[in-house]
Amino acid sequence: MTSSPPGARTKLVIAALTIAAFAIGLDTFVIIGALDAISRDLAISTGMAGWIISIYALCYAIFAPLNAWMFKAMSRRNVQILSVSIFIIGNLICAIAPNFLALAAGRVISAHGAAMFTPAATALAAELLPPARKGFALSLIFGGMTVSQVAGVPATSWIADAIGWRFSFGFVVIAGLLALIIFAPMMSGIPDKAPERENAPISKRFPKTIYGLLSVTLFIVVSEFIVYSYVSVFIIGSLFVGVPLLSAALFAYGFGAVTGNAACGVLTDRFGPYKVLIAAVGAQLILLVGLVAFGQHGTLTVLIAFLWGNVSYMYLVPIQHRLLGLAGDRSKLVLAMNSSTTFAGIAIGAFLGGIIVEISGITSLATASILIGLIGIALGVAFMRDAALLKPRLQDV
């Protein structure tokens, strides 16, 4: 890895990776803004339309480690081009899907491409910038995904209402094509790494700290999505002059996620991943409770949503930063496992939140979020600190 300042080609590649991450982040949430329109057009229930979100998350969780294994010998250039191409094809299928099954199939295909892209792009961005800027490199990829929430999700929601939900998927396709057009020729100048070694079972290859860090990811994501999945249930009313409070809160959340993500890379490089993770998750738990408690309080709700957005993605960079420090020459596989864990946490959080709402009501979401989040913090204290003191190289394990 070079320590010299990045050249023009490297900057363009990273910019293209960020644009592709924007498209993938957009695709993750495009269904949310278009759910009602899809339900009406395909003559299916809202609940059935909502399954499409779970299908994408679960397929991503399955494909992320599978893709890392299947394509471990493929060049980095080809992995990036193939992944975005598959992603684009999946969204094209969604755009023309005549029924629920075709739409679900398109989501499976797009999840396949997204799960191939994100871990590889994260590892590549970290390799292209100097070690001292690793946190910044990671924040660029996640920045593309968070920007999609503040800019892309409102845009696709408006497109779905104004001209049809199919054009929302078309918007995602355009973003993917733009990234592909930029980085396909640029990637030819990026050297390939040696193939990752495959000479031992995973159980013997990875130190326990890797699995500990993955458990940190799982509990933090479940804690967040138990609440986030059901914000439309407890954030109700209008902010002012008829502006829906939910829309205003989600916009504030997305804007906060962008600013928080930008700060996270700098904070991680300055204070270290351990301190940033513990502080961010602790703040998130407090804000999630506040959001449930004050979900109908106008400006206060929007303010809490903005602050929550600032810390909601801050766990990603510190954990990825630490995993890269431990992964050695198998960074893509380890990052794929973390991506898989993240999307599994989304699916589990949404599922558990639904059960809690039905059994105990909305306010119980806050209690469940705190309990699960505290477990995540405890695991973070154990394994993030352990990782800081003990940095085994996987090739030596």
Side-chain angles (χ1 to χ4, degrees), residues 216 219-220 277-278 281-283 285 372-382:
V216 175
F219 278 91
I220 292 174
L277 176 76
I278 300 303
V281 178
L285 291 181
I372 295 173
L374 287 175
I375 296 174
I377 289 177
L379 290 169
V381 170

Side-chain angles (χ1 to χ4, degrees), residues 99-367:
N99 52 46
F100 173 82
L101 290 179
L103 181 58
R107 294 299 281 168
V108 171
I109 294 172
S110 63
H112 178 35
M116 186 191 306
F117 170 84
T118 305
T122 302
L124 178 58
E127 292 165 14
L128 291 177
L129 291 180
R133 304 192 73 195
K134 185 186 294 183
F136 176 73
L138 295 176
S139 69
L140 287 174
I141 301 301
F142 294 120
M145 301 182 75
T146 54
V147 167
S148 70
Q149 286 190 286
V150 67
V153 173
T156 54
S157 179
W158 177 83
I159 290 171
D161 289 336
I163 57 178
W165 62 270
R166 299 179 188 278
F167 290 93
S168 296
F169 285 101
F171 185 77
V172 179
V173 169
I174 291 173
L177 284 172
L178 178 61
L180 191 62
I181 290 171
I182 295 175
F183 76 63
M186 291 293 105
M187 284 292 291
S188 60
I190 302 298
D192 279 321
K193 286 186 68 178
E196 297 182 349
R197 293 168 57 182
E198 297 293 332
N199 55 3
I202 287 180
S203 60
K204 294 182 179 180
R205 196 188 311 145
F206 292 157
K208 67 176 183 179
T209 305
I210 292 285
Y211 297 106
L213 291 171
L214 295 178
S215 70
V216 175
T217 295
L218 180 65
F219 278 91
I220 292 174
V221 175
V222 171
S223 172
E224 178 179 13
F225 275 81
I226 277 181
V227 175
Y228 183 40
S229 301
Y230 298 92
V231 290
S232 62
V233 179
F234 59 82
I235 297 182
I236 55 177
S238 296
L239 182 59
F240 60 89
V241 294
V243 176
L245 181 58
L246 177 62
S247 297
L250 288 178
F251 179 84
Y253 167 83
F255 186 74
V258 172
T259 58
N261 183 79
C264 186
V266 176
L267 291 173
T268 299
D269 289 335
R270 174 70 186 275
F271 297 105
Y274 172 73
K275 292 180 180 178
V276 173
L277 176 76
I278 300 303
V281 178
Q284 176 173 273
L285 291 181
I286 296 172
L287 292 166
L288 286 174
V289 173
L291 200 64
V292 175
F294 301 104
Q296 304 175 36
H297 285 66
T299 303
L300 178 59
T301 303
V302 174
L303 176 62
I304 294 174
F306 171 73
L307 295 174
W308 168 41
N310 271 276
V311 298
S312 65
Y313 283 88
M314 280 193 176
Y315 65 87
L316 289 171
V317 170
I319 293 176
Q320 299 271 40
H321 189 287
R322 194 67 90 204
L323 286 171
L324 283 173
L326 293 165
D329 61 357
R330 283 191 289 273
S331 58
K332 282 198 298 184
L333 178 57
V334 171
L335 292 179
M337 292 168 65
N338 195 54
S339 291
S340 176
T341 302
T342 299
F343 277 80
I346 292 173
I348 293 171
F351 177 74
L352 289 179
I355 294 176
I356 291 168
V357 168
E358 292 295 327
I359 295 177
S360 305
I362 293 299
T363 56
S364 297
L365 293 176
T367 303

